[in-house]
Amino acid sequence: MWGPEGLDEVEAELLGPTEDLKGQDVLEIGSGAAQCSRWLAGQGARPVALDLSHRQLQHALRIGGAFPLVQADAGALPFKDASFDLACSAYGALPFVADPVLVLREVRRVLRPGGRFVFSVTHPIRWAFPDEPGPEGLSVSASYFDRTPYVEQDERGRAVYVEHHRTLGDRVRDIVASGFRLVDLVEPEWPAWNTSEWGGWSPLRGGLIPGTAIFVCERD
């Protein structure tokens, strides 16, 4: 799944035709519990799941899967140049770094020529609205152009969660500055079958404003 709307890679084929994934070396960035890598392995691909969080990778290990798990910073990938055919990230890494171009350049470095990187993030327009699933989440409450990060702190004042806002234009410029070519920008519509509410996600909001942005990039 590329996001809470429920867009499935089997349907979307943003990484390419499913049957072509067999034998492909794929890097999952910000893998969490490696759900995407587990699916890729099921299609015959050779995934590597990378995340900064040791706890997330422990969870991935408990679930199981015959593919490597790597704890590393997405801005300093521990792989040689041109090591992968594809890379993907579903709500991983990029929203949580202050310098996304650094990550994008690293991903481009480890991709082979013609390689594709597909990543999804919260749609930038959502930053202007309260994170509420009901009608209260439909009124603009903040400036779309305010790039102040969202920060949660513990009782000692230490940051325990940080998410960075980039406008849609920022994301496009970051992709171009990293040397990628942007070949598609997908804004999934909320499907009729999805009646779930989760956090600020709901059919009400999803039917009116986009919730996810998916960027399809290629290394020429």
Side-chain angles (χ1 to χ4, degrees):
M1 297 291 182
W2 285 107
E5 294 85 1
L7 181 62
D8 195 302
E9 174 59 13
V10 174
E11 172 192 353
E13 293 191 336
L14 300 181
L15 291 170
T18 305
E19 60 270 18
D20 291 350
L21 294 174
K22 187 174 182 179
Q24 297 285 293
D25 296 309
V26 189
L27 176 63
E28 182 184 6
I29 305 287
S31 64
Q35 292 93 332
C36 297
S37 289
R38 205 165 287 108
W39 179 82
L40 287 161
Q43 313 313 307
R46 295 191 294 263
V48 174
L50 179 142
D51 201 284
L52 186 64
S53 168
H54 179 65
R55 182 175 295 180
Q56 288 283 1
L57 293 175
Q58 282 182 316
H59 186 41
L61 193 62
R62 284 193 295 269
I63 297 173
F67 49 85
L69 304 174
V70 177
Q71 184 182 6
D73 188 333
L77 297 175
F79 307 108
K80 293 189 292 185
D81 296 358
S83 296
F84 297 94
D85 301 298
L86 299 165
C88 63
S89 183
Y91 278 76
L94 283 161
F96 312 110
V97 296
D99 186 359
V101 173
L102 179 63
V103 174
L104 288 163
R105 283 177 175 164
E106 274 293 274
V107 176
R108 184 183 181 280
R109 178 184 65 78
V110 302
L111 280 176
R112 293 168 184 140
R116 175 169 285 201
F117 177 39
V118 184
F119 69 93
S120 62
V121 295
T122 299
H123 197 290
I125 195 62
R126 286 182 68 97
W127 281 73
F129 295 84
D131 196 25
E132 298 290 342
E136 63 275 23
L138 298 177
S139 297
V140 172
S141 62
S143 170
Y144 170 74
F145 301 103
D146 183 359
R147 296 167 176 81
T148 304
Y150 171 77
V151 181
E152 294 179 2
Q153 297 176 315
D154 63 15
E155 63 279 0
R156 297 184 180 180
R158 297 177 299 187
V160 295
Y161 181 91
V162 179
E163 189 169 351
H164 295 270
H165 171 47
R166 307 287 287 167
T167 68
L168 203 59
D170 290 339
R171 290 288 181 200
V172 171
R173 283 186 288 275
D174 290 345
I175 289 166
V176 173
S178 68
F180 274 113
R181 179 168 60 94
L182 180 64
V183 296
D184 200 1
L185 169 56
V186 181
E187 299 166 294
E189 295 185 41
W190 195 275
W193 60 260
N194 190 347
T195 59
S196 300
E197 286 192 8
W198 175 71
W201 304 87
S202 69
L204 174 65
R205 297 187 77 198
L208 295 172
I209 59 173
T212 297
I214 309 172
F215 298 86
V216 183
C217 317
E218 286 186 354
R219 175 183 175 177
D220 288 332

